[in-house]
């Protein structure tokens, strides 16, 4: 059996978009404060100051853990760590309680270590400490399917058919 491994951000497109927005907000705020004519206009408009720097502060406080975590999928299980160093969580294939597919804005997969997600309201899934969220892709599914020893809860038959048809 051929061994596969994937290591990447859980939501790569969203991560890039948020980082670009952060850099643009920081650049706009710095530009407006650095040049004399715009500084006077900018300082007179306090709401613009709050929007530029407030947006950057909110991103720094709330976004790093979910978007800058790195997901590692291999034969030992699924791991999540912030930038590969902090907030580490590893779920081995044997100790995984539930693997779930769901669509909120995009297709996503959730892996739980100790609790069944069906017993928890959907809006509280992100508060669980032993849960790994990630975006769904064909590459990830192929690796997960190779090692997962249980069915994926909530995956429609149409999606399974599409993925098996694409494999051939």
């Amino acid at each position: 059996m051929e061994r596969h491994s994937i290591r990447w951000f859980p939501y790569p497109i969203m991560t890039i978009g948020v980082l670009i927005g952060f850099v643009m907000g920081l650049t706009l705020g710095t530009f407006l404060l650095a040049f004399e004519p715009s500084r006077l206009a900018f300082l007179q408009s306090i709401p613009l100051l709050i929007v530029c720097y407030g947006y950057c502060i909110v991103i720094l406080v709330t976004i790093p853990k979910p978007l800058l975590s790195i997901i590692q999928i291999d034969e030992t299980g699924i791991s999540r760590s912030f930038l590969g160093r902090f907030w580490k969580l590893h779920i081995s294939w044997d100790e995984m309680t539930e693997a779930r597919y769901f669509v909120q804005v995009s297709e996503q997969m959730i892996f739980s270590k100790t609790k069944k997600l069906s017993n928890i309201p959907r809006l509280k899934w992100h508060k669980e400490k032993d849960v790994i969220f990630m975006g769904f892709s064909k590459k990830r599914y192929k690796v997960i399917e190779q090692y997962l020893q249980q069915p994926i809860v909530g995956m429609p038959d149409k999606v399974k058919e599409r993925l098996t048809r694409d494999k051939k």
Side-chain angles (χ1 to χ4, degrees):
M1 177 187 282
E2 187 178 332
R3 302 280 177 175
H4 292 285
S5 177
I6 293 180
R7 181 179 166 100
W8 195 242
F9 292 111
Y11 306 101
I13 294 173
M14 240 174 22
T15 302
I16 292 168
V18 168
L19 290 177
I20 288 172
F22 175 75
V23 169
M24 287 175 52
L26 200 59
T27 304
L28 177 65
T30 305
F31 177 77
L32 291 174
L33 284 176
F35 295 102
E36 187 64 35
S38 62
R39 185 181 322 141
L40 296 173
F42 186 64
L43 292 176
Q44 290 173 356
S45 175
I46 297 298
L48 189 57
L49 175 72
I50 292 171
V51 168
C52 282
Y53 287 114
Y55 174 75
C56 292
I57 290 169
V58 166
I59 286 177
L60 283 176
V61 171
T62 61
I63 299 301
K65 187 177 178 185
L67 288 185
L68 295 179
S69 292
I70 295 176
I71 302 291
Q72 170 83 26
I73 305 170
D74 57 17
E75 64 272 355
T76 62
I78 298 178
S79 301
R80 179 197 68 213
S81 59
F82 177 67
L83 297 176
R85 300 275 177 178
F86 311 104
W87 297 320
K88 293 181 179 183
L89 174 63
H90 177 77
I91 303 175
S92 69
W93 299 112
D94 297 334
E95 64 185 13
M96 188 176 298
T97 304
E98 185 174 6
R100 181 175 283 270
Y101 169 91
F102 80 103
V103 178
Q104 193 160 5
V105 174
S106 63
E107 295 177 307
Q108 299 181 35
M109 300 257 335
I110 303 176
F111 301 94
S112 176
K113 187 173 184 175
T114 58
K115 296 181 182 178
K116 290 269 188 198
L117 295 170
S118 55
N119 298 335
I120 304 169
R122 184 181 262 188
L123 294 175
K124 295 188 179 186
W125 286 352
H126 69 282
K127 292 183 180 181
E128 295 296 321
K129 298 204 183 285
D130 62 342
V131 173
I132 295 178
F133 285 83
M134 69 176 184
F136 184 80
S137 71
K138 292 175 194 174
K139 276 184 172 179
R140 291 178 181 174
Y141 177 74
K142 288 178 184 178
V143 175
I144 290 168
E145 181 188 44
Q146 184 178 6
Y147 300 115
L148 189 64
Q149 302 159 358
Q150 60 188 4
I152 298 173
V153 178
M155 183 175 280
D157 292 334
K158 290 180 182 179
V159 174
K160 288 180 188 176
E161 289 173 13
R162 182 187 75 202
L163 293 169
T164 54
R165 182 182 53 218
D166 291 344
K167 269 200 236 178
K168 295 176 183 176

